[in-house]
Amino acid sequence: AQKITQTQPGMFVQEKEAVTLDCTYDTSDQSYGLFWYKQPSSGEMIFLIYQGSYDEQNATEGRYSLNFQKARKSANLVISASQLGDSAMYFCAMREYLTGNQFYFGTGTSLTVIP
Amino acid sequence: DTGVSQDPRHKITKRGQNVTFRCDPISEHNRLYWYRQTLGQGPEFLTYFQNEAQLEKSRLLSDRFSAERPKGSFSTLEIQRTEQGDSAMYLCASSATSGQPREANYGYTFGSGTRLTVV
């Protein structure tokens, strides 16, 4: 079974609008972390936001917020007030703290911001 | 020290040749990771080091692949007898700790990657 599932290969959003990128995860660990990374065409993975499994509040970092629904095992990324520079690939990832040190990544969502 | 550096950025090689990539992590980070990313996929874990010790290896790391971190600073990833299926982006990342419980303070920093093309 896939640890991380991103079902939206590509998304389009109008500049200044909000967009939600979907992510569901699969784990039996109680202690885990969920992350979103942005990968522009240059290739570097840029950390955006983190949510711990025990965090009760949804994480926010500037224009990024993470809609964490633990019972549904979903961790959707919301980008508010989209900018042209937000056009990139976005990856959801998970670390299971009790079983290892690696990240499990989804297949990514390509976001295009339209002027 | 501005981040994780990887060299080269691009490498084109003929099938059967050996290639070596280098990663220079953030100097105060004791953990170093290698990932491979093929087209249209997310990165997949290959291996990780804590200081100079290689503590975990993925099944993806066949016997043609070897990684070293001899002095606990920079790391090299060597692929012997390259195959076309090795064509991918090879990403290096470093971190200071396992990150728990506040990963955001100690998260991974990724390099820009080395893009390998085997022809």
Side-chain angles (χ1 to χ4, degrees):
Chain A
Q2 292 290 326
K3 291 277 188 180
I4 296 288
T5 302
Q6 294 180 254
T7 58
Q8 305 156 314
M11 290 282 286
F12 292 87
V13 64
Q14 203 75 38
E15 194 179 4
K16 300 180 185 176
E17 297 292 310
V19 62
T20 299
L21 306 184
D22 295 341
C23 172
T24 57
Y25 61 92
D26 181 30
T27 182
S28 55
D29 281 16
Q30 298 300 309
S31 181
Y32 53 90
L34 297 159
F35 304 77
W36 279 90
Y37 281 87
K38 173 183 178 181
Q39 188 177 42
S41 55
S42 59
E44 185 179 358
M45 299 288 283
I46 302 168
F47 167 76
L48 295 178
I49 196 167
Y50 163 78
Q51 179 87 38
S53 57
Y54 294 115
D55 293 341
E56 294 183 354
Q57 304 257 357
N58 285 342
T60 59
E61 292 285 348
R63 295 186 299 110
Y64 304 109
S65 60
L66 198 152
N67 184 359
F68 181 45
Q69 298 189 37
K70 196 169 182 177
R72 295 185 178 184
K73 292 188 175 178
S74 75
N76 298 339
L77 177 70
V78 180
I79 305 175
S80 63
S82 298
Q83 301 172 356
L84 296 178
D86 294 335
S87 294
M89 284 292 291
Y90 287 81
F91 290 95
C92 180
M94 177 177 66
R95 287 187 67 196
E96 297 168 313
Y97 292 126
L98 300 180
T99 56
N101 286 283
Q102 63 171 292
F103 274 114
Y104 297 96
F105 285 88
T107 52
T109 296
S110 176
L111 177 67
T112 302
V113 181
I114 304 166
Chain B
D1 192 291
T2 56
V4 177
S5 299
Q6 291 190 246
D7 184 69
R9 290 295 309 276
H10 304 274
K11 178 72 177 178
I12 301 174
T13 191
K14 290 184 178 179
R15 190 165 48 123
Q17 298 292 306
N18 299 344
V19 293
T20 301
F21 311 140
R22 176 179 170 125
C23 172
D24 288 88
I26 292 174
S27 57
E28 58 265 30
H29 285 181
N30 60 346
R31 293 190 172 199
L32 185 147
Y33 311 79
W34 285 99
Y35 283 78
R36 181 176 72 184
Q37 185 178 17
T38 52
L39 204 61
Q41 300 295 318
E44 295 172 295
F45 171 77
L46 292 178
T47 188
Y48 104 93
F49 293 83
Q50 180 156 312
N51 300 313
E52 65 275 8
Q54 188 173 18
L55 296 186
E56 197 171 334
K57 291 198 292 186
S58 161
R59 285 170 291 180
L60 292 175
L61 212 66
S62 76
D63 56 6
R64 294 185 299 105
F65 287 69
S66 62
E68 295 182 344
R69 195 182 182 198
K71 297 181 181 178
S73 56
F74 73 92
S75 175
T76 57
L77 177 67
E78 181 183 15
I79 308 174
Q80 296 182 326
R81 304 181 304 280
T82 52
E83 302 172 356
Q84 287 187 321
D86 298 331
S87 295
M89 173 81 88
Y90 290 84
L91 290 163
C92 176
S94 68
S95 72
T97 70
S98 66
Q100 192 181 103
R102 291 308 306 162
E103 183 89 44
N105 295 324
Y106 308 106
Y108 285 30
T109 301
F110 280 86
S112 296
T114 294
R115 186 173 296 282
L116 173 67
T117 303
V118 181
V119 298

